Amino acid sequence: MGSDLTKYLRVEKLPHIWCAGCGHGIVTQAIVRAIDELGLDPAKVTIVSGIGCSSRAPGYMNFDTLHTTHGRAIAFATGVKLARPELKVIVITGDGDAAAIGGNHLIHAARRNIDLTVVCYNNSIYGMTSGQYSPVTPLGSFASTAPYGMVERPFDLCELVMGAGGTFVARSTTYHARHLTNVIKQAIQHKGFSFVDALSQCPTYFGRRNNMKDALAMLNWYKENAVSRDDWAKMPPAERGSKFPIGVFRDEEAPEYCETYRKVIEKAMEEVGAK
Amino acid sequence: MEESRSRLYQGNEACVEGAIAAGMRFFAGYPITPSTEIAELCSVRLPQVGGTFIQMEDEIASMAAVCGASLAGLKAMTATSGPGFSLKQENIGFAAEAEIPCVIVNVQRVGPSTGMPTSPAQGDLMQARWGRHGDQEIVVLSPAYVDEVYSLTIEAFNIAEELRTPVILLMDEVVGHLREKVTLPKPGDLVIKDRKKPVPGSRYLPYAPGEGEDGDVPPLAAFGDGFRFHVTGLTHGPDGFPTNSPSVGEPQIKRINSKISSRREKLCKAEELFTEDADILVVSFGSSARSAKKAVKDLRAVGVKVGLLRLITLWPFPEHVIQRIAAGKLKAVIVPEMNLGQLAREVRRCLDGRAPVIGVNRVAGKLIEPADVIRAVQEVK
């Protein structure tokens, strides 16, 4: 504790654009705290984001930062990582950015097991455009485009990424800020594709429409409904209700894409050299 | 004995070899006819020179990965055809706005939509210029011969690097699949340009124009070099950070346009044949220009005063060249192209009523033949 995190921030770019009570500052702090605690060289960290509230975070973070087009952060990051595999590449995205418009890139990066860390600032709503439903908006919740309640079934992003072959998958919330920092640290240290579903409150566009009038109410909802992975496994399905699991759901080793491709280069160079 | 410098290349193959000679070390693509050989050859050739090939999950991702790799310091390219070119447009616009050097190859096929995937067309002339939202100039080069595919691919990389901009190589199916002789330049004869880099340790403003001749193109650091800079598609100031201020945003948008438009004469390449005394001018590009050239030569042989202007640079548009030729007495301008008149419309705009512009057009995969051009010229006479 006590390390000055402002050196990782572009303090002259503050105040940030996020609404009062938004959870995104907590997730951003968890990322820079994780970077600090891991002692990473800031010159060798690149942060890539897409479009949306979450994706404005890199502008405040003092690294090489790339704010791309909607949904495409992971694809841009794939180019950065392949060009310079020695860089730590962290993708900051939102639930709409990662799972709707960018869903294809999410599953294919997971399938390749390329060494990117994706932190999804998941507030289950399109905040930047003032509250339309996303692919993770819970059934029955209200959104500006779900005035009669959400009728589409939501994604569980962790299950999605595990289904696509992601080798490190975890979830935490802004209420569990220390836990969130720890799972981000593990994700960054993991060699291969890592995904952190970081639940982050949006009191302005989600909470107010769904009986949680402020940030405190939403954080309390996380506190009351989050259960550890192990407790979740023991919990009879009938008792689960609105509860959800947090923790590390998968941490496996598998060949990492850049390392595998490095072997392709070595083989190809050897072959032409032998001619 | 000195190794022969002659090669029999397919157009798509010449593109890959030219790109590697220019220093391309990253290619991201997605299979699409008739450009697929470019991706296939890159998958073989790039790792042989220490470069990286990746087949992405879609066309959009390919263009995104190219931008990312270029920002990390590599010369990067993608290749596609009409439907994929449409999908890439948003990220080409990102590259223009964020000033990311890269090359996009479009081997044109018949459209609209899925069209005729294996048949040639030149219907993306305007999409190449105007396919993205917002105001932006773009450089578009169009080869007609396989050896020109090789040299223009190198030129495309050089322009991309020098002007920090995406450059489009607009081929067509005929040029892409044709096999012709290419004489490789001697290593010492190759002119290869690399992006300007900021001075290590200096305060880096990635979008600040500087002094001097090319001061309107700021240097570009690579991610990981220690500059810790920000890149965004939002309208930004000299420091790269977003702005809502019109007084900051307008100079940025104007500069990415003027860095190309102000170099029009330098960027515009064209082949001229018998244009000095022509009273009928044929203007064409790509594979259609090959038929046009044959027609012009045949007509000259029988004493018809016809000339050819083959556009190599399509955008910025060589208005000055057309206007210079039109300053003489032109009876008519004939524009053969495999679309319904996209180039003719632009030529008409430049001539501003000084001579009638007559199109020779095909759109369903059949090539324009020399006889089609000869017929059009004879109708004018």
Side-chain angles (χ1 to χ4, degrees):
Chain A
M1 261 314 266
S3 178
D4 179 13
L5 297 178
T6 56
K7 66 185 175 194
Y8 302 108
L9 299 176
R10 292 164 171 151
V11 286
E12 72 281 9
K13 298 297 168 194
L14 298 172
H16 56 66
I17 63 157
W18 298 317
C19 304
C22 174
H24 288 3
I26 298 172
V27 187
T28 304
Q29 190 208 63
I31 294 173
V32 294
R33 195 178 289 284
I35 290 169
D36 182 63
E37 290 180 8
L38 290 171
L40 301 183
D41 176 359
K44 299 295 173 196
V45 174
T46 297
I47 315 248
V48 185
S49 67
I51 292 290
C53 294
S54 62
S55 292
R56 295 300 287 268
Y60 311 121
M61 300 168 80
N62 194 12
F63 306 92
D64 286 318
T65 50
L66 174 57
H67 175 224
T68 71
T69 49
H70 196 18
R72 316 304 170 197
I74 292 172
F76 277 78
T78 297
V80 172
K81 181 70 185 177
L82 280 169
R84 276 190 110 152
E86 73 274 20
L87 300 180
K88 278 280 176 199
V89 181
I90 299 169
V91 174
I92 291 177
T93 180
D95 43 300
D97 196 53
I101 190 166
N104 203 25
H105 314 307
L106 177 67
I107 59 173
H108 286 280
R111 174 181 63 80
R112 281 185 197 108
N113 199 34
I114 185 167
D115 188 21
L116 303 174
T117 295
V118 176
V119 180
C120 180
Y121 291 40
N122 181 351
N123 57 12
S124 71
I125 204 82
Y126 283 83
M128 187 68 92
T129 47
S130 66
Q132 298 73 37
Y133 67 79
S134 89
V136 300
T137 304
L139 265 176
S141 297
F142 293 95
S144 73
T145 47
Y148 305 103
M150 176 69 167
V151 291
E152 295 183 16
R153 297 190 306 161
F155 268 139
D156 177 322
L157 294 182
C158 291
E159 293 290 342
L160 175 71
V161 174
M162 284 192 282
T167 49
F168 181 96
V169 177
R171 178 183 291 124
S172 190
T173 85
T174 47
Y175 175 79
H176 306 83
R178 295 301 302 169
H179 177 259
L180 176 61
T181 304
N182 285 333
V183 297
I184 292 172
K185 272 170 77 176
Q186 289 178 67
I188 293 171
Q189 283 177 298
H190 176 77
K191 189 195 285 180
F193 187 80
S194 53
F195 179 81
V196 176
D197 188 16
L199 303 194
S200 173
Q201 75 278 5
C202 176
T204 304
Y205 292 116
F206 186 83
R208 287 194 300 196
R209 280 201 179 89
N210 290 282
N211 297 319
M212 290 177 280
K213 65 179 173 54
D214 56 21
L216 190 61
M218 296 197 75
L219 287 166
N220 272 323
W221 190 87
Y222 289 154
K223 179 187 171 186
E224 285 153 18
N225 286 281
V227 292
S228 76
R229 179 197 64 186
D230 295 341
D231 288 349
W232 173 263
K234 285 181 244 159
M235 192 180 276
E239 287 176 27
R240 287 176 176 172
S242 62
K243 294 194 185 320
F244 59 90
I246 60 171
V248 176
F249 305 126
R250 183 183 284 170
D251 186 1
E252 290 177 359
E253 277 189 34
E256 191 278 321
Y257 184 79
C258 296
E259 285 192 358
T260 306
Y261 196 81
R262 187 70 233 166
K263 288 176 193 152
V264 171
I265 294 174
E266 282 162 15
K267 187 179 174 199
M269 291 183 86
E270 200 181 294
E271 277 179 16
V272 286
K275 268 184 188 171
Chain B
M1 204 181 83
E2 203 184 338
E3 198 194 339
S4 165
R5 309 206 69 78
S6 295
R7 298 284 185 277
L8 179 67
Y9 280 153
Q10 186 196 55
N12 284 344
E13 189 178 12
C15 177
V16 174
E17 293 302 330
I20 288 173
M24 172 187 67
R25 290 297 178 270
F26 185 88
F27 180 96
Y30 187 83
I32 183 166
T33 304
S35 78
T36 306
E37 294 87 357
I38 296 176
E40 288 175 335
L41 284 163
C42 283
S43 76
V44 176
R45 292 283 288 121
L46 271 173
Q48 291 175 349
V49 295
T52 297
F53 163 88
I54 186 166
Q55 181 174 314
M56 292 298 284
E57 53 274 14
D58 57 38
E59 296 277 5
I60 299 169
S62 310
M63 191 60 221
V66 160
C67 290
S70 180
L71 285 169
L74 297 187
K75 291 187 184 178
M77 182 173 94
T78 186
T80 188
S81 187
F85 193 50
S86 299
L87 286 167
K88 288 185 195 295
Q89 292 290 354
E90 186 192 9
N91 285 338
I92 298 173
F94 183 88
E97 168 67 8
E99 299 185 74
I100 303 169
C102 54
V103 174
I104 303 99
V105 183
N106 175 4
V107 188
Q108 295 167 97
R109 68 191 220 186
V110 174
S113 191
T114 312
M116 294 176 164
T118 58
S119 295
Q122 296 174 309
D124 301 346
L125 173 66
M126 286 297 170
Q127 197 199 352
R129 173 64 186 89
W130 301 107
R132 300 151 299 279
H133 57 283
D135 283 296
Q136 62 192 258
E137 291 277 343
I138 189 101
V139 180
V140 181
L141 308 177
S142 181
Y145 303 92
V146 175
D147 64 346
E148 196 173 61
V149 173
Y150 185 89
S151 59
L152 275 190
T153 306
I154 295 172
E155 184 69 19
F157 273 97
N158 285 346
I159 294 168
E161 293 286 314
E162 280 196 303
L163 299 186
R164 254 187 89 173
T165 191
V167 174
I168 294 166
L169 187 74
L170 196 64
M171 315 222 295
D172 58 60
E173 189 275 339
V174 172
V175 176
H177 283 159
L178 202 67
R179 286 175 196 276
E180 287 182 321
K181 181 177 156 181
V182 175
T183 304
L184 300 179
K186 292 184 184 133
D189 294 345
L190 269 177
V191 178
I192 304 296
K193 305 282 178 62
D194 295 307
R195 63 192 72 171
K196 274 186 294 188
K197 290 213 161 201
V199 180
S202 63
R203 181 166 180 251
Y204 179 42
L205 294 170
Y207 297 90
E211 301 297 315
E213 197 187 342
D214 290 324
D216 55 343
V217 184
L220 179 59
F223 287 161
D225 282 354
F227 289 97
R228 294 161 77 173
F229 64 110
H230 186 56
V231 175
T232 178
L234 288 164
T235 305
H236 42 267
D239 60 0
F241 290 92
T243 180
N244 281 323
S245 159
S247 64
V248 178
E250 190 166 292
Q252 182 255 305
I253 296 169
K254 283 186 169 170
R255 185 177 55 74
I256 65 165
N257 282 274
S258 69
K259 73 179 178 182
I260 293 167
S261 61
S262 69
R263 290 172 174 81
R264 183 184 306 275
E265 296 196 9
K266 188 181 163 206
L267 290 168
C268 282
K269 287 184 175 218
E271 179 190 358
E272 291 184 43
L273 193 65
F274 312 123
T275 51
E276 315 78 37
D277 64 343
D279 55 19
I280 296 171
L281 180 68
V282 181
V283 184
S284 193
F285 68 107
S287 63
S288 298
R290 298 172 68 115
S291 296
K293 191 173 187 175
K294 171 83 168 85
V296 166
K297 283 181 171 173
D298 288 356
L299 287 163
R300 275 279 167 172
V302 295
V304 182
K305 280 187 150 186
V306 59
L308 173 74
L309 173 64
R310 178 173 72 87
L311 304 184
I312 299 168
T313 304
L314 298 175
W315 304 104
F317 199 71
E319 306 173 359
H320 57 290
V321 179
I322 291 172
Q323 283 161 357
R324 168 174 52 75
I325 298 170
K329 41 164 185 53
L330 277 184
K331 220 188 284 177
V333 178
I334 313 285
V335 184
E337 53 185 328
M338 283 186 281
N339 62 53
L340 287 179
Q342 297 183 25
L343 177 61
R345 189 174 192 271
E346 201 62 16
V347 172
R348 205 168 281 129
R349 180 182 69 78
C350 292
L351 290 177
D352 199 19
R354 271 175 281 179
V357 176
I358 298 149
V360 177
N361 310 98
R362 291 197 188 278
V363 287
K366 192 173 185 303
L367 295 179
I368 291 170
E369 294 173 12
D372 300 326
V373 181
I374 290 170
R375 204 174 308 118
V377 171
Q378 283 168 341
E379 277 168 22
V380 171
K381 280 178 67 207

